[in-house]
Amino acid sequence: MHITRWTAPLTGIAGALGGAAVVAAAWSADVRSRRAETARIHRVLVELLLNALSAGDPVTERHSRRVADLTDALATVYGISRGRHSTLRLAALLHDLGKIDDRFFHILHSCEPLSAADRERINQHPHESADILEPLEPIHPGIADIVEAHHECWDGNGYPEGLAGKEIPLESRLISVADVFDALTQPRAYHSPLEPDQALRELRRGAESRFDPAVVAQVERENVWTRWVEIAGRGRREEATAESAP
């Protein structure tokens, strides 16, 4: 009699639990599907922005991809969380997006020293980039501030806001060093490329003034430096191929 008394309730509980498990599994599958679709849309959006940059200025687009790779290698030293690292990489990829404005094209590709007016104009590109990326803030909190501050200097003499020291977001300080290293090691209309060790000496000279000295010190870690030299070499080949293309 005791067995019979408890069989029905237990069967009902088991059925309810089984039904709940089915609902939970379906809900979990739906969440995964939504996340996958969101990630896909995110990738498409990033590629659209990079394509816009490439169409406006392919040199800057190639530079931006290398800066993202250089920043990635440097960020590994800092143990940055996955979400924050994702925002950092996107900021590095799109830090120069504001330069797609036609007002900047002749400035970027000029072989002549910049006039005061041109210098003032190009100094606005961090603002332009930040404004374009502002809609991404709900997905990548802080991305606009990171991009806007990538030309700030450790000693406060940068632009556009004159931030100094740790007022500058860490991510901006990482991008700043990577940005200059790539600019120095790749051919430009206004200079011949430096070898990586020569560029590193320039970074050291800029420590305490332009760059966070602690960030420059991390560049010299073997795992970071090896990767940076590889990226510089790859970039030199990319630029040579682009220059020889019809």
Side-chain angles (χ1 to χ4, degrees):
M1 291 297 294
H2 290 294
I3 295 174
T4 302
R5 181 181 302 162
W6 287 101
T7 299
L10 288 174
T11 301
I13 292 170
L17 290 174
V22 170
V23 171
W27 178 82
S28 179
D30 183 60
V31 169
R32 288 196 299 272
S33 175
R34 289 174 183 272
R35 285 177 178 169
E37 180 63 11
T38 299
R40 187 190 69 79
I41 293 171
H42 184 274
R43 288 194 298 271
V44 169
L45 174 60
V46 172
E47 285 302 317
L48 282 171
L49 291 171
L50 286 170
N51 286 344
L53 183 57
S54 179
D57 187 354
V59 173
T60 297
E61 186 264 345
R62 293 192 298 272
H63 160 74
S64 296
R65 289 185 185 273
R66 291 191 299 269
V67 169
D69 290 342
L70 292 165
T71 305
D72 266 350
L74 188 53
T76 59
V77 176
Y78 288 86
I80 293 174
S81 68
R82 182 175 179 180
R84 191 177 170 195
H85 196 149
S86 175
T87 297
L88 170 59
R89 179 168 178 82
L90 190 59
L93 273 170
L94 302 175
H95 70 282
D96 278 340
L97 193 59
K99 289 181 178 178
I100 63 174
D101 193 302
D102 288 343
R103 293 174 298 160
F104 300 138
F105 188 84
H106 78 280
I107 301 173
L108 295 172
H109 297 280
S110 173
C111 297
E112 302 298 323
L114 297 185
S115 67
D118 282 345
R119 173 58 61 188
E120 183 177 353
R121 192 172 296 120
I122 198 65
N123 284 1
Q124 294 305 308
H125 85 268
H127 275 315
E128 303 280 352
S129 298
D131 286 346
I132 293 171
L133 297 176
E134 182 68 32
L136 291 176
E137 280 289 328
I139 306 171
H140 294 285
I143 190 169
D145 286 343
I146 293 168
V147 167
E148 188 162 22
H150 78 274
H151 276 295
E152 300 289 357
C153 293
W154 188 251
D155 63 4
N157 288 317
Y159 61 88
E161 300 296 335
L163 302 179
K166 292 189 177 179
E167 292 177 334
I168 307 167
L170 172 63
E171 292 88 342
S172 306
R173 287 178 262 148
L174 301 183
I175 293 171
S176 175
V177 175
D179 189 22
V180 171
F181 178 82
D182 187 74
L184 291 174
T185 55
Q186 303 304 320
R188 290 291 183 269
Y190 48 86
H191 76 74
S192 298
L194 300 182
E195 294 302 319
D197 59 333
Q198 295 173 309
L200 179 58
R201 285 197 291 273
E202 293 301 316
L203 296 181
R204 288 173 182 152
R205 289 192 187 99
E208 300 283 1
S209 56
R210 184 168 185 176
F211 310 116
D212 178 348
V215 173
V216 174
Q218 298 304 328
V219 172
E220 300 189 54
R221 290 172 67 116
E222 183 177 0
N223 60 323
V224 176
W225 182 243
T226 298
R227 182 71 181 126
W228 275 37
V229 172
E230 291 172 356
I231 294 167
R234 184 193 77 202
R236 197 77 65 85
R237 293 189 295 274
E238 287 174 346
E239 297 304 321
T241 299
E243 187 176 346
S244 63

